[in-house]
Amino acid sequence: GNFIDNIDICSSNSCDSGSNPVASFSVIFKRPDSSAIFNGLTDLVTGSDYIKITIESPKGATSFIRIYPSGRIQIN
């Protein structure tokens, strides 16, 4: 029952959900490079920028998945 509430492009500053929304994109990892390749974005994601995916439960609890260009994935 969990669902994706928002997908945003964020910078190193705080990022409010819905502040820079993304409708659709894909993340590709090509071996042996661990960097993430973001396809389908009109804005370029570089440096300290990241993609933040907001997951929400039917009860209203939220969790965040951050994907960085370096390939790092952070789940809160």
Side-chain angles (χ1 to χ4, degrees), residues 23-69:
S24 174
F25 81 103
S26 63
V27 179
I28 299 169
F29 296 94
K30 288 187 177 182
R31 289 185 177 190
D33 190 4
S34 63
S35 297
I37 301 167
F38 300 104
N39 284 338
L41 299 177
T42 55
D43 294 329
L44 188 60
V45 179
T46 61
S48 60
D49 293 345
Y50 58 92
I51 299 294
K52 182 173 84 172
I53 302 169
T54 304
I55 308 293
E56 189 170 330
S57 77
K59 294 181 180 182
T62 58
S63 185
F64 305 103
I65 301 170
R66 291 177 177 90
I67 306 172
Y68 295 84

